Structures are given as C-alpha cells and as structure tokens.
C-alpha cells in the first residue's frame, strides 16, 4: 500500500470473526491500531444484534470500541420506517434488536399476515410458520424491508444462508415483489462512519470479505476497498470495483 491510511472502517463477519469465533490475527491487528490511536469504526450488515451488543463482543476481545462506532443497518431501518411508513404494523423475521428498532421507530410489531411491512433480518428461530405468515403478508401487498442483500454469512464451520437468500425466496414466491434492501452496497453505513470519524474518504480504507457488498459500498462512498480473503466462494464478476487484496490485517499499517 503506497498511499497512507489515516482511518479504517471494517466489516465484522468474515473480518473480525466467523460466527462466535474470533479471527485471532485480525483481533491482534485491530487492538494494535486502537492503541496507536488510528480512527476506527465498524460497518456491518449484520442486524442480529444491536451496536451495543457488537461493541460488547469487541470489547471482550480487547478492542475498546464504543457502541457509537459500530454502524449496523438498524439505524437505516428506523429512518426508513419513520420516513416511509410511520406507525406501520410490521411483521418481523429477526431477533430482538430488530423488534426493538421497529418499536423505537414508532411502528407496531404484529404476528399476523395483516402487516403492512415485513421486516427481514437474521432469525435463528426461523421456521415454516414465520415464512408462511410473511409470504401471506407480502401477497396481501406488504412491503419487504430487508436489512441486507448478503446471501452467505461466514460461521465457524462454513457458511449459512443470509438475508439476501431469504429475499430471493420471497421474490420467487410473490409476483411483482419489489423489496427495499438496506445496508451495504449502499454507501450509507460508510458515509455515517466517515462522518463519525471526521475522516477524508481518500485517506480511509474499508476492509471487508464481500465484493458484492463491502467493496461496492467502498466504491460508492469514495473509500479504498481492501478485501480480506476469508471467503473462498468469491468469483470475480465483470463490474466488480477495483480493490486491494490481503490475506491478513497485519499486511496493513494505518496511522
Ligand atoms: Mg462480512
């Protein structure tokens, strides 16, 4: 890397950890950068937990990040609901963090197919009943509001299907569905991080494991994208934005 790196925005899944397991070399590097005072924020598409919960996990790894410096699609979800469907009845496929954000946005969490919005995130209790209720709500005209378009999420022993794979399921089942999809590759999460850090996009890198989300969001925000090679399922596609490639965060020296 010839150009100096003054600030870092990093993804979480596939960069800092896989499922519950930390990626040790990443944790060591991030801890060192924090100690050196490198402006650092995290931008994740994962909505299974709140920013405060992610910050607590990072703190447990010795990375002393504040919740304000962990940016998730939950804030974008709250803003979308307040702007577009204030007070809407929402059916939530997702965890407590998503339910809380719907309520915080002034929405109502309902448990039937009369919902006006189906909020879609990662839900470890997902089963056929929830899929049926959501499908019927969408067939009745509800909006599908998805937290991210990722199709795969790295876990300890491989990968699991992510929210984008569920969007594809509903898209196949519901004629004319036009989902609203938040998170990366839209630049919003990265622009919020740049704002927070007071960083110049030209001096900032975005580290991520996914080209379709992380590297595209970096390009859209004017930030240099650096891909870490923890996703062996990546296949280059025409239109992929140019980006740097590393095997390990120790290859970078910001500051
Ligand atoms: Mg990732």
């Amino acid at each position: 890397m010839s150009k100096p790196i003054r600030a870092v925005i990093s993804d979480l899944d596939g960069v800092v950890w896989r499922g519950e397991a930390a990626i040790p070399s990443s944790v060591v590097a991030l801890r060192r950068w924090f100690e050196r005072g490198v402006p650092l924020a995290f931008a994740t598409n994962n909505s299974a937990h709140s920013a405060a919960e992610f910050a607590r996990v990072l703190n447990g790894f010795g990375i002393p990040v504040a919740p304000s410096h962990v940016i998730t699609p939950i804030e974008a979800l709250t803003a979308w609901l307040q702007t577009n469907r204030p007070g809407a009845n929402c059916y939530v496929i997702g965890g407590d963090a998503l339910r809380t954000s719907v309520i915080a946005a002034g929405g109502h969490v309902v448990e039937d197919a009369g919902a006006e919005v189906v909020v879609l995130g990662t839900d470890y209790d997902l089963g056929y009943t929830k899929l049926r209720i959501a499908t019927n709500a969408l067939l009745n005209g509800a909006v599908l509001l998805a937290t991210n378009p990722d199709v795969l999420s790295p876990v300890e022993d491989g990968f699991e299907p992510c929210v984008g794979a569920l969007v594809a399921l509903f898209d196949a089942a519901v004629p004319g569905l036009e989902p609203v999809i938040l998170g990366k590759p839209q630049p919003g999460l990265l622009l919020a991080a740049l704002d927070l850090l007071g960083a110049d996009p030209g001096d900032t890198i975005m580290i991520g494991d996914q080209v379709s989300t992380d590297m595209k969001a970096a390009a859209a925000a004017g930030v240099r994208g650096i891909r870490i090679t923890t996703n062996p399922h990546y296949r280059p596609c025409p239109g992929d934005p140019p980006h740097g490639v590393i095997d390990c965060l120790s290859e970078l020296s910001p500051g």
Side-chain angles (χ1 to χ4, degrees), residues 7-255:
V8 174
I9 305 169
S10 178
D11 180 32
L12 289 175
D13 293 280
V15 178
V16 185
W17 55 58
R18 293 185 70 96
E20 308 258 305
I23 298 174
S25 58
S26 294
V27 169
V28 168
L30 289 163
R31 209 183 286 159
R32 195 171 297 145
W33 299 348
F34 251 102
E35 283 163 6
R36 290 214 309 256
V38 175
L40 188 50
F42 295 90
T44 179
N45 268 359
N46 190 331
S47 62
H49 302 286
S50 67
E53 289 167 331
F54 284 130
R56 206 172 304 132
V57 177
L58 289 162
N59 294 171
F61 292 151
I63 301 167
V65 67
S68 59
H69 284 55
V70 180
I71 298 161
T72 80
I74 289 179
E75 292 75 24
L77 183 128
T78 303
W80 190 94
L81 285 173
Q82 285 173 334
T83 304
N84 297 286
R85 295 294 171 109
N89 289 334
C90 300
Y91 184 70
V92 179
I93 291 180
D96 287 343
L98 275 191
R99 290 170 179 273
T100 304
S101 71
V102 167
I103 294 162
H108 305 282
V109 175
V110 298
E111 301 300 335
D112 60 66
E116 306 156 70
V117 179
V118 173
V119 174
L120 184 59
T122 299
D123 187 336
Y124 290 106
D125 295 320
L126 181 60
Y128 233 86
T129 302
K130 289 187 180 182
L131 292 175
R132 185 172 63 239
I133 293 170
T135 300
N136 281 301
L138 296 169
L139 287 168
N140 291 339
V143 175
L144 180 61
L145 181 59
T147 53
N148 68 70
D150 295 72
V151 291
L152 286 177
S153 194
V155 291
E156 292 91 326
D157 57 352
F159 288 82
E160 62 188 20
C162 196
V163 177
L166 297 174
V167 172
L169 180 154
F170 291 121
D171 196 42
V174 179
L177 188 69
E178 290 183 13
V180 176
I181 301 177
L182 306 170
K184 302 170 282 185
Q186 294 184 50
L189 271 63
L190 274 62
L191 296 175
L194 286 168
D195 202 35
L196 195 70
L197 297 174
D200 181 333
D203 295 336
T204 304
I205 58 167
M206 167 70 204
I207 305 167
D209 60 323
Q210 306 289 335
V211 171
S212 61
T213 52
D214 299 313
M215 298 304 104
K216 288 192 172 173
V223 167
R224 275 180 285 164
I226 306 286
R227 178 170 62 87
I228 188 167
T229 55
T230 54
N231 173 17
H233 303 291
Y234 165 61
R235 299 283 176 273
C237 295
D240 282 354
H243 57 269
V245 181
I246 56 170
D247 293 320
C248 178
L249 260 54
S250 63
E251 294 170 45
L252 301 169
S253 45

